[in-house]
Amino acid sequence: MNSTLKMFAVSALTAGIAGCGGGGSGSSDSTGTVSFGITDAPATDLSNVTVAFTEIRLKPTDGDWISFPLEGFETVNMLDLQGGVSEPLITDQEVPAGEYSQVRLIVDTENSFVKRSDTGDTEFSLAVPSGEQSGLKLQGDFIVAADTSTSFTIDFDVRKAVVDPQGNALADFMLRPALRLVNNLEVGSIAGSVDESTIIQVRCSVNDPAYDGMVYVYQGSDATIGDLGSENEPLLTAPVAFDGEVSEYNYTAAFLVEGEYTVSYTCDPDDNEAAQELTFLGTRNVTVTAESQTTVDFVAE
């Protein structure tokens, strides 16, 4: 059962879609202002992923790189930035108006680390190939309109990005690019609940007493669904969590561009480095409207 509720826009435009307003490369002396924030998609077996971003770089299509220093991210746990929550990177910075082709995030690996859910406060090193030189690269065109303020968010998918390299490696864990560029005016979200009988039916607690499953979101109607790392991997996943105040198991999938999606629920844990056969329930098509929240509940049949 789907219904739509008007809400304040949360942000998301996938890389390759231009920001609103304006067009072309603009005159040589025209400027606009931009804001960039960062958000995260969830990871199931990690309790802390601190990535110390030190600089954000923007590349005009016909110009030189523009850099802005960042501070304070050595203390930000990326796993706190979920369900539509974001952390500002830069705010209302003046830049040349026109077309841009790339964003880079420079990382200080010495102050970046990972903690696992099963090892308490033990910190594991986190390496980013070329992270301190060329950074995490996000390809995709966007436009900064003249005399206009445009806000973007970078959707940083920790669940896809953090991998255990096994054997000899630069660090205990490696961070590979798993980023989407999002525009804060072009999106909506999907949210809802999973009824307790469905969770009991699939026996989530057999895998992990604290794990209530995930809602997988795929682009397009009637999409072929698959696990993380497969050719049919989801655009994003949203954790299902128990809300004690209303006694419901709820989820929110934010940062979705207006359009058609396929959603499904699974209780199976998913390894982002190995192909797996997951059991999905309640697969259905959903229409997302900009500046709106679409409600999708998963109820046992």
Side-chain angles (χ1 to χ4, degrees):
M1 177 175 62
N2 298 349
S3 62
T4 304
L5 176 67
K6 204 72 175 175
M7 60 172 278
F8 182 77
V10 281
S11 70
L13 182 63
T14 54
I17 304 296
C20 71
S25 58
S27 64
S28 60
D29 58 351
S30 61
T31 64
T33 61
V34 294
S35 298
F36 278 81
I38 194 161
T39 190
D40 176 39
T44 55
D45 60 346
L46 304 175
S47 60
N48 189 308
V49 178
T50 295
V51 183
F53 297 112
T54 61
E55 186 179 346
I56 182 172
R57 299 175 182 172
L58 313 178
K59 178 63 172 67
T61 302
D62 298 319
D64 297 328
W65 286 94
I66 303 168
S67 300
F68 297 95
L70 305 174
E71 296 181 358
F73 279 88
E74 65 274 6
T75 62
V76 176
N77 179 4
M78 294 296 298
L79 300 185
D80 292 335
L81 309 179
Q82 300 178 14
V85 177
S86 64
E87 181 79 10
L89 291 165
I90 57 175
T91 303
D92 294 331
Q93 293 290 335
E94 187 173 12
V95 298
E99 299 176 358
Y100 287 72
S101 60
Q102 191 177 145
V103 178
R104 290 185 181 181
L105 291 171
I106 309 303
V107 178
D108 174 10
T109 55
E110 290 188 3
N111 287 307
S112 300
F113 61 87
V114 167
K115 293 182 181 179
R116 294 179 56 90
S117 301
D118 57 358
T119 55
D121 290 330
T122 302
E123 293 185 2
F124 297 92
S125 57
L126 181 63
V128 184
S130 301
E132 296 183 5
Q133 288 78 42
S134 59
L136 292 173
K137 303 174 184 178
L138 198 164
Q139 302 285 350
D141 299 332
F142 63 96
I143 292 175
V144 175
D147 303 318
T148 300
S149 181
T150 310
S151 296
F152 299 93
T153 299
I154 296 172
D155 186 3
F156 180 84
D157 195 336
V158 164
R159 195 175 183 205
K160 295 180 182 179
V162 177
V163 296
D164 184 348
Q166 305 293 329
N168 295 326
L170 296 174
D172 299 317
F173 287 87
M174 299 293 290
L175 189 64
R176 61 188 181 189
L179 309 170
R180 292 189 300 140
L181 181 63
V182 302
N183 183 303
N184 295 1
L185 296 178
E186 301 285 334
V187 302
S189 63
I190 301 172
S193 63
V194 180
D195 73 317
E196 186 174 23
S197 61
T198 297
I199 293 175
I200 293 174
Q201 172 184 317
V202 293
R203 299 180 180 178
C204 278
S205 59
V206 171
N207 299 318
D208 181 349
Y211 182 59
D212 298 313
M214 289 270 182
V215 173
Y216 282 47
V217 181
Y218 303 83
Q219 285 186 303
S221 297
D222 299 318
T224 301
I225 61 178
D227 65 319
L228 291 172
S230 71
E231 62 178 349
N232 299 315
E233 73 173 2
L235 176 69
L236 59 85
T237 62
V240 176
F242 182 70
D243 185 337
E245 293 186 5
V246 294
S247 298
E248 291 181 349
Y249 294 86
N250 297 323
Y251 74 93
T252 299
F255 312 106
L256 296 172
V257 182
E258 181 173 279
E260 302 300 317
Y261 294 86
T262 302
V263 298
S264 197
Y265 168 77
T266 183
C267 196
D268 295 335
D270 192 355
D271 184 345
N272 66 353
E273 299 177 73
Q276 295 169 275
E277 291 291 334
L278 307 183
T279 300
F280 289 97
L281 301 173
T283 303
R284 69 195 70 183
N285 295 325
V286 181
T287 300
V288 171
T289 304
E291 300 185 354
S292 297
Q293 178 173 288
T294 302
T295 300
V296 178
D297 297 326
F298 292 86
V299 181
E301 298 179 356

